[in-house]
Structure formats: structure tokens, C-alpha cells
Amino acid sequence: MGKVVIDQERCKGCMLCVEFCPKGILAPAKEVNSKGYHPIECNDEDECTGCATCALMCPSVCIEVYR
Amino acid sequence: MSETQRTREFITGNEATARGAIAGGCRYFFGYPITPQNKIPEYMSAHLPEVGGVFLQAESEVAAINMVYGASAAGARVMTTSSSPGISLMQEGLSYMIGSELPCVLVNMVRGGPGLGNIGPAQSDYWLATRGCGHGDGQCITLTPNSVQELHDFTARAFEIADRYRNPTMVLADAILANMMEPCDVLPPTEMPPADRPYAVGPHGQERERNIVNSLWVDFDEMEEVNLRIQERYRQAAEEITDWEEYGSDEPEVLVCAYGISSRVCESAVDEAGKAGVQARLVRPKTVFPFPSEPIAKWAEQAKCAVVVEASMGQFVEDVRLAVEGRCPVELVGHAGGNIPAVSEVVARILEMTS
Amino acid sequence: MTTDMKQVYAYPDALTEVEMRYCPGCTHGTAHRLVAEVIDELGIKDRTVTLATVGCSVYAYEYFDTDAVQCSHGRAPAVATGIKRVQPDTIVFAYQGDGDLASIGMAEIVHAAARGENFTVIFLNNAVYGMTQGQMAPTTLLGQKTTTSPRGRTAPEAGFPIRVCELLDTLDGPAFLAREALSTPPHVRNAKRAIKRAFETQVAGLGFSLVELLSTCPTWWGMTPLEAIKHVDEQMTKCYPIAVFRDRLAAQEGEQSAESAPGEGE
Ligand SMILES: Cc1ncc(C[n+]2csc(CCOP(=O)(O)OP(=O)(O)O)c2C)c(N)n1
Ligand code: SF4
Ligand SMILES: [Mg+2]
């Protein structure tokens, strides 16, 4: 069981976390944040294992992971 | 500095400079060899370790001034010395130091130029010192000794001045002053003064906020504020440390202006002109930034003309003209390329101007 | 989140709250995070000085929550030398781009390395001048298009890319030299390991350490962040092989473990 917390304002929607999430549960939001980026969201929280690969790859340092 | 403990010695200007630095608390030296000042780094390499200091020969003057920048940011009393082409290479680094409000001392034993020039005496880096010091609105506080003793004393004092105004301070001399020998009352090496540099970087635990040494201010108003602070320090320096010496008649027909090596020529010229029936007064700046405009203006009011003598082609004369402000005609006796004006030449010009 | 959950990935203490100004997907940010994590793990934040250089990372002094000095273009190794000669126990790291380090600052980096100055360099190689809008860098690949090699870099016109680690590896001074890539999770993990090793080398007082990080500039490469990391993996590593070139700390540890090995010596 894991959980990711993605800072929606700091996320620039670069997609690196989306690409490397082993569970494929991250995706860009429909809405944009104040800078105009589509921030990444987790769309299936039950699937998250808390492996933190997303945070490892995140250049914006906007992901915190719990397990 | 312990005035009482001076010892009289017969030494070169280069050695006097090096020993003045150590007396002024300098413990770090970074520099790159260039004639006519090589005896300074040589002296430092031999003697800085004896007082717990560090000498490092840099790979270039560009590296040297940046090592100075780092050491100064770390809170040290630090210096570099060089000659004209080397000072050219330090310009960007000096600008960063001015912008970051860091002190350091540098010595320029000016040689003939432009280009590789030669190793003769010259004063042709006047603009480099008083207008240059890199890009932006900043200058080096500049001291102009005219003897081995003054090289020693001014260098020692330059560290205090640099610290007080948080600005690079330059001792501007030339190849003759660097290499001639004169008696000098030498100060003993002092302890480096206790660090009072709240802006310095280094280990701090939880004792203070983090320190950032920086000259990047993207916001225009912030950048202007830094500039205003720097200019305020220059204004303060003008009030506190502007220095000059005068020599000759109290009722002069001719005002003579010269600094450094040329001023020694002019003392004799003032005497000779007096013998020939023309009263002259020499004003010799010991600081050229800040510049002693006041005495120059005062004597220009009285004199028929001013004769400016420099071992360059008309650099120093500009500051004299700005001080004279049209009160009297200003004539230049200039030489270049390693030649310095001769006494006879200066006397001839003084007589010519008053005939 | 539920109270029995433990935080397994937190924002590093050694980074300030200031939001980094890098373009989306630019691995400058990844490199900053890894360095900050290492500073935290080694507990050296209060005695570290960050040297910001000239390039997209010029604001490093705003991002790292340490003392900092902003340096002129290419001269950080000289500035680091000045600081370390005054304060040998302070941990100093310079964060340099490829234009900063391998072009204008080549003399300073080579001489600092040759002297074995005891500081750490994080060398961000993105094969381009990011900040000044994508001009050719000394590390630009042959064939790579940049704003000043619009037809692609050719050797007759612009010479060959410079391999910094290999160059420095000819010197006796460096104690740690490694090249890693900020491309995929395994590579990023290795990059962090190398960064940690470099700082440990400095803490142990062994001398000069440098980690070259193959990095992306999606903006000036004209690629998406994903295409860019793929480019690092598939193209850049061909020219710049990933390797640990030098590790004197390991040599020292080897000696120590040999000394303390049971049954050997007295
Ligand atoms: C003396 C000097 N020359 C040129 C510049 C302009 N300049 C700013 S950043 C830069 C290139 C930086 O490229 P790199 O080091 O590769 O960093 P990146 O932006 O790619 O991370 C240049 C040439 C400068 N600031 N100072
Ligand atoms: S220009 Fe390139 S190197 Fe600079 S922040 Fe953007 S992606 Fe990164
Ligand atoms: Mg670059």
C-alpha cells in the first residue's frame, strides 16, 4: 500500500513520472495549474505500492511518497 | 600595526610591498608571475607559511583573482599582485568582487603598454584603475605611493581600507618603484585581525541564517540599490581617506600635478623653476580614487596655469581638468612606453607657460 | 493519508522552498535533488558552501539551503580553491554546466583537478548552452543541431566533443571521477551513488572529486522530456560512456579492510 502526494502547483507536467511508474497509474490532469501546465495526478490510489520511482525521476521535486 | 617596532632596512619596492601586506594582516596570496613584480610572489611563497598563511601560484591572473574572490568570501585578508597585462585579465573578477561587496588588495606594478609592451615604468594603467576594474559602475579604491616606504605603508593600510569599504583596493605603482632600493622603516608582521565578516561563508551550525555572496540581481530596483550602496561607500571614502601632499611655493604662478614616480621628478622641477624665478606648487595625490580635487581647485584659482606630468599619454590629466574646471589652462607633459618625463622637460614647460 | 503510513520520499532538507525555474522535464532539477539528498544523508548542510556558476543553474544559491557564492562564468574551481585554502574543513561543491566547465573554464577545472583540490564538482553535461538559448557547446555531439550549428556539428567546422572525465583521468590529482546519466531510474540511482561517493571523498580529505551527469535540455534539443532522456540513453552515452574512472576512497577502503582482515598480519 502506498500513496503519492503531488504538489499540483509545482508540477510542470513533464511526464517522466508517468513514463516510469511501474503500475501505470499516473496521468496528466485535465485542468491546468496557475502556470498553465497539466499537473500529474494519481488515478488509482489503491494500486500504488509506494515504490517512489516517480519521485526518483521527478525534476521538479514535487512528489512525496508514503508507504 | 605596531609603529614602535619598525626596523630600518634597505630593500626594494617589491619586498617592501610584500612585507607591508603581511604587516597589514594578509595571510593569503594568489598570483601569476609577471615582470616587474615577481619578487612579490617569491617573497610571499617563502614567508607566508612562516606566519601561518598560504601562497598559491595560480594558473593565470583570471584564476588568481577568482581565488582571491573565494578567499575573501571565506573571510580572509587576501591579495594578488601583477602588472598591466595581468590586471587586464582580472577585470571581470574585480567587477564581481565590487558587485558582491567583497574586499581584497591588489597591486599593479605598471609596465609599458599597450599590448605586451615592455617591462619599463609607466603610469598608463591610470584609467584601468580609476575607470576600469571591470564592467558596471564600480571602481577600485586606488592608492598611489611614490617611494619604497609608501609602497610598504600604503599596502599595509590598503587591507584596512578594503575592509572598511568592502571594495577591492589597488596600490598603483610602476616598474621603477617596484625594483628600486631605498631605506624603509619596516613594520613587523601582525596577527591577522579577528574576523569581523558577518557576510562570510563557512560552517555556521544554527548560529545564523545562511550567507550568500552574489552579484546577480535580476530585479532592476534591487540592482540599483546595490549600486547606491556602493556609491555611498565611495562618497564616504572620499570624505575619509582622500589624501595628497603639497610641495613648493605658497604663492604659485604654476600649479604642478603628478602622482607616483612622476611626482618625484616634479619635486625637483618645482625647485629648479623656483631658481629660474617661477614659483610653482606641486599637488601630489596619494589617492587617485577618491581624487583630491579640492586642493587642485584651490591652487588653480590662484595659478596662471597647471602643468600635469604623467608617464602616460593623457589619462591622469583628465581628472586634473575635471578638478580645475576651467579656472586656468591645463598643459600635459606626457611620456609613454617606459619613458618617464625628465626634470628639464618639466621645467622648460613651466617656464614656457609663464613667459 | 493513514497514520500508519511512513514517508518514504520527502522533500530534501538541503533544498529551500524556492521553486526551481527549470523548463519542464529538465534534469537540472533531478541533479539538484540528488545533491541535496546526499547533503542531507551526510549531515553536512551547515558546513557546505554551494558554488553557483553561470548557466541555467545560476540560481543554485537560491535552491540549495546552504551558504553560497555565485561565481563568474567558468571560474568556480578557482573560487573553490580560494575558499578551501582558507577553510579546509568546509565542504565546497561547484555546480557547473558544460559551457561553464569545458569551454570558458577549461583551464580552471584542469588545474584545480591537477592540484587535487579537495572539493567536489557536479558537472552537468547537456551538450548545449541552455541559458543563452541553445548554442553549440564543447560537448555538443557530432551531427547535433544547435542554434549556432544549424546544419549539425561537423568536425571540420567545429572540432570534436570533449570528454571531460577521460581528460581529467590523465591527471594524478583527482581522487574520484565518474560519469552517470540522469535518464532512467537505475541510472538516476547510480548517479546519486556517485554523487555521494564524490562528497564522501571530499569529507575524507582525499582530494578532487567530479561527477559528470549526462543531462537533458528538452527546450533547446527540440524534444519532449521523454524523447530527451531517450536521447541521453541512446546517443549521448555512445560518445560519453558511463563509468567510474577513479575511486581512491574505494582503494583506501580496500586497504583498510585488507589490514583488518582476520588472519592477516599480526
Ligand atoms: C564571461 C561571460 N561570457 C558569456 C556569458 C553568457 N553565458 C551565460 S550562460 C552561458 C552558457 C552556459 O552554458 P552551460 O554552462 O552549458 O550551462 P547550461 O545553461 O547549459 O546549464 C553563457 C555563454 C557570461 N555570462 N559571461
Ligand atoms: S534551457 Fe535547457 S538546460 Fe536550461 S532549464 Fe531549460 S531545459 Fe534546462
Ligand atoms: Mg550546458
Side-chain angles (χ1 to χ4, degrees), chain A residues 10 12 35 55-56 65 67, chain C residues 6 8 19-20 22 33:
Chain A
R10 290 175 85 111
K12 295 173 181 168
K35 289 195 221 56
L56 179 71
V65 185
R67 189 163 55 207
Chain C
K6 221 174 77 211
V8 291
E19 205 172 312
M20 293 189 272
Y22 300 113
R33 179 167 47 73

Side-chain angles (χ1 to χ4, degrees), chain B residues 275-304:
Chain B
K275 283 182 209 154
V278 176
Q279 299 302 305
R281 187 173 189 89
L282 169 67
V283 174
R284 161 174 90 91
K286 293 184 186 174
T287 59
V288 290
F289 185 80
F291 191 80
S293 300
E294 232 172 83
I296 291 174
K298 180 183 121 193
W299 293 109
E301 198 70 59
Q302 222 172 298
K304 280 200 208 134

